Amino acid sequence: MKEINKVVKSYEDAINQNRIVGSQCTKCHEIYVPPRPVCKNCGSYDIDITTIEGQGKIITWTVIHIAPPTHINKVPYTLAIVELSNGQRLTGIMRLPEGRGPEFDMEVIADFDKAEEGAKRLRWRPK
Amino acid sequence: MVGREVGIIAAGHTKFGNLGRVTSRELITAAATEALEMAQLDKDSIDAVYAGLLSPDIFEHQMHAAPGIPDYLGMKNTPSTRLEAACASGGLALMHGAIGIASGLYDTVLSVGAEKMTNLPTSHVTEALAMCADDIYEVASGITFPGAFAMMARAHEHEYGTNAEMRAAVAVKNHKHALENELAQFQKEITIEKAMNSLMIADPLTLYDCSPITDGAAALIMVPWEVAKKHDGPKMKIRSFAQASDTMSLHDRPDLTGFTTTKVAARKAYDRAGLQPKDIDFVEVHDCFTIAEIMAIEDLGFFEKGEGGKAALNGDTYRDGYLPVNVSGGLKAKGHPIGATGVSQAVEIFKQLNDMAGPRQLNDVEIGMTQNLGGSGSTIVCHIFERGD
């Protein structure tokens, strides 16, 4: 029997501690963010959870005006896909100072907001 | 293709739109009955039912929806299976029906698709559809489907200059096409200015870049091609089908300007049929958003990467253009009852290949293709069909 590799719990626990984690394969050393239970590069099940530097740059974004009930009190909000310094990517809401809009290649760093349901959420803000 | 060749001998299609107090199984009953009458078949000759339904669970508080279909049609103990692949649910219902015939297990299959969406307010529909994205890494971050396609539209614009006017031109074209489709949700011509100046949904996508919230159903009846070709009535042959998957999260894909899944599924479908993009006479693609049609016609191999944005603007994808795209009106104007869409696309091909398309009938068409997309392109199903007479 294989041990259940709870990568989602690892990710969520880390976000609640204000950090981002990925999976690092113990065989080929490839890193994936968010973490994966099976290495996408070599197929190995032997992975370690490792902390990733929470900064990168915007590769695309949108400003959402029509949102589901969970986010309706935030509209309009900017959602971006950020490429981390290690090349992996994550989606998150941008926190932008008044008068500043998102741009391609804008350097951002990770922030962590307490969501209404108690768990923390990954956000991005300009570096 | 392996196994028996598959033919389609009948189609049914309800009006698309806000249809009031009605259930998806009643919609399916109407579409399936139309198909049974067209095929001149008794309901008891159906060996199996495959149904594309995204979420009767959320839209109608009804799980286990599949047996409700033969139940309402008055069939006795006919096996019925629901397939869910986000907006590609209908394409999968069609494909699995064809697999049932090809395998020899069944001789007559009813493939249907439906959705009853207008019970819920827009924000709740947005939430239900967003559940087709990655719940942990995208939905928790506040993604919506317009948002996901907006991020792709921005990437496509950044890379290839595909601008708001080009996207609006897709909406204008599909609305114009729908004028000739009495079953379409919208039969109203729009202008580029109107589309570009409509309500912002997810920047840069406006209301007219988005397909609507729709109720509706579609149905097809399949038999072995050996039977279909002797059938006295409309018919078409399924030349091939193929399906591909990609990552749940959009951000996990290296290229945000198209869908690897479309390229992979299309390549397999072309290879299995022994055809190439140039052999396709017309196509129904999954224009859930205008940018999705632009990416589809590129990824299917009809236009060079980056050239898709100009196609509608130049008139190339109009009914009288180089490659007619979405002559039914597409998801944009015909409407997008999620589970019905993949079947509805094939119904349009069936009508065109049997000269049953009325005022929107294309001349001299032999081969038609469908591309049905689920999620942010995490599932793609392609079918290629050939005229049967």
Side-chain angles (χ1 to χ4, degrees):
Chain A
M1 187 194 74
K2 280 276 189 193
E3 198 180 328
I4 298 166
N5 212 335
K6 296 183 176 175
V7 293
V8 170
K9 179 167 168 40
S10 299
Y11 180 84
E12 289 173 342
D13 287 351
I15 294 289
N16 280 324
Q17 298 159 9
N18 297 346
R19 57 196 182 93
I20 300 170
V21 294
S23 54
Q24 181 159 33
C25 178
T26 59
K27 299 238 161 64
C28 75
H29 308 294
E30 199 71 20
I31 292 173
Y32 288 96
V33 185
R36 293 175 165 275
V38 174
C39 175
K40 216 174 171 178
N41 184 47
C42 75
S44 168
Y45 189 86
D46 293 320
I47 59 118
D48 287 336
I49 296 298
T50 183
T51 299
I52 304 296
E53 195 179 27
Q55 56 179 306
K57 58 177 186 173
I58 293 182
I59 58 162
T60 189
W61 76 93
T62 178
V63 182
I64 291 182
H65 294 261
I66 303 291
T70 49
H71 285 74
I72 215 157
N73 60 351
K74 293 188 178 68
V75 294
Y77 57 92
T78 301
L79 188 74
I81 295 182
V82 169
E83 187 164 291
L84 303 168
S85 22
N86 74 347
Q88 295 288 302
R89 294 169 175 183
L90 284 170
T91 304
I93 292 177
M94 287 286 305
R95 297 167 66 176
L96 290 158
E98 192 79 17
R100 184 145 185 214
E103 293 160 35
F104 285 103
D105 298 325
M106 178 188 261
E107 293 196 39
V108 296
I109 53 178
D111 235 336
F112 302 88
D113 263 4
K114 199 129 198 153
E116 276 127 38
E117 58 272 38
K120 283 195 179 172
R121 298 287 185 221
L122 171 65
R123 307 282 188 241
W124 298 102
R125 64 178 165 86
K127 195 172 172 181
Chain B
M1 296 294 299
V2 297
R4 299 195 290 183
E5 288 191 301
V6 182
I8 294 177
I9 56 165
H13 199 289
T14 67
K15 171 76 179 167
F16 277 7
N18 182 338
L19 302 179
R21 173 62 187 145
V22 66
T23 61
S24 57
R25 58 183 149 164
E26 292 167 283
L27 298 173
I28 290 171
T29 302
T33 302
E34 182 187 352
L36 283 164
E37 286 175 2
M38 185 184 292
Q40 301 157 51
L41 282 176
D42 182 79
K43 61 186 179 345
D44 294 322
S45 58
I46 299 295
D47 296 323
V49 177
Y50 290 91
L53 287 155
L54 169 70
S55 192
D57 331 27
I58 291 172
F59 293 125
E60 305 178 75
H61 203 259
Q62 180 66 67
M63 286 203 236
H64 201 197
I69 298 163
D71 178 18
Y72 261 37
L73 283 164
M75 296 169 171
K76 298 272 189 300
N77 310 118
T78 309
S80 182
T81 306
R82 167 182 162 197
L83 295 111
E84 187 271 299
C87 308
S89 303
L92 274 195
L94 173 56
M95 195 182 95
H96 282 272
I99 290 170
I101 300 284
S103 72
L105 183 63
Y106 299 127
D107 290 323
T108 312
V109 167
L110 173 67
S111 281
V112 300
E115 214 71 52
K116 168 62 194 170
M117 301 175 73
T118 60
N119 289 343
L120 298 181
T122 300
S123 66
H124 287 75
V125 174
T126 303
E127 183 179 35
L129 298 179
M131 287 169 74
C132 301
D134 192 320
D135 186 62
I136 312 294
Y137 304 115
E138 295 187 307
V139 180
S141 294
I143 208 168
T144 62
F145 267 94
F149 281 82
M151 290 196 284
M152 287 185 263
R154 193 178 302 283
H156 206 281
E157 181 160 3
H158 187 59
E159 190 75 26
Y160 302 111
T162 308
N163 59 28
E165 186 186 14
M166 294 172 182
R167 292 190 296 267
V170 174
V172 170
K173 168 185 70 77
N174 290 346
H175 273 260
K176 189 164 175 65
H177 283 170
L179 286 177
E180 309 293 352
N181 185 353
E182 61 181 12
L183 300 180
Q185 183 163 5
F186 300 123
Q187 289 193 282
K188 187 178 62 172
E189 212 161 344
I190 58 163
T191 62
I192 286 194
E193 293 69 38
K194 179 171 179 166
M196 285 174 68
N197 294 319
S198 63
L199 181 72
M200 189 60 80
I201 303 292
D203 192 2
L205 300 183
T206 67
L207 181 65
Y208 280 96
D209 285 305
C210 307
S211 55
I213 294 166
T214 312
D215 307 328
L220 291 163
I221 293 173
M222 273 173 264
V223 295
W225 177 244
E226 284 303 309
V227 175
K229 72 181 184 190
K230 294 176 207 136
H231 174 70
D232 181 22
K235 58 187 82 104
M236 72 176 176
K237 185 196 273 192
I238 300 181
R239 283 289 298 266
S240 67
F241 47 77
Q243 177 191 357
S245 323
D246 207 339
T247 61
M248 284 293 284
S249 290
L250 180 62
H251 59 232
D252 278 337
R253 301 183 210 148
D255 180 15
L256 299 178
T257 67
F259 296 118
T260 303
T261 32
T262 302
K263 291 180 200 158
V264 170
R267 177 45 53 207
K268 284 185 180 170
Y270 291 136
D271 286 351
R272 286 170 181 171
L275 296 170
Q276 295 174 29
K278 68 173 173 54
D279 300 315
I280 307 297
D281 295 321
F282 68 111
V283 62
E284 290 281 310
V285 303
H286 196 97
D287 60 323
C288 48
F289 300 94
T290 51
I291 185 64
E293 175 170 315
I294 290 168
M295 295 192 295
I297 59 177
E298 293 174 348
D299 294 336
L300 291 169
F302 301 126
F303 293 86
E304 292 289 320
K305 196 73 206 163
E307 298 295 313
K310 296 175 194 146
L313 206 54
N314 291 346
D316 291 337
T317 47
Y318 275 81
R319 201 163 61 231
D320 56 357
Y322 151 78
L323 177 78
V325 177
N326 288 332
V327 288
S328 67
L331 285 58
K332 176 69 206 76
K334 181 184 60 182
H336 183 26
I338 308 291
T341 286
V343 180
S344 169
Q345 291 176 316
V347 169
E348 179 64 18
I349 307 286
F350 182 82
K351 288 180 179 174
Q352 292 288 348
L353 293 179
N354 285 287
D355 303 323
M356 295 163 72
R360 66 181 185 283
Q361 181 63 47
L362 299 167
N363 294 324
D364 304 322
V365 281
E366 294 289 326
I367 307 274
M369 182 172 191
T370 58
Q371 177 246 13
N372 188 200
L373 174 153
S376 55
S378 316
T379 295
I380 295 280
V381 187
C382 289
H383 282 78
I384 299 176
F385 305 95
E386 182 180 353
R387 197 178 183 92
D389 54 16

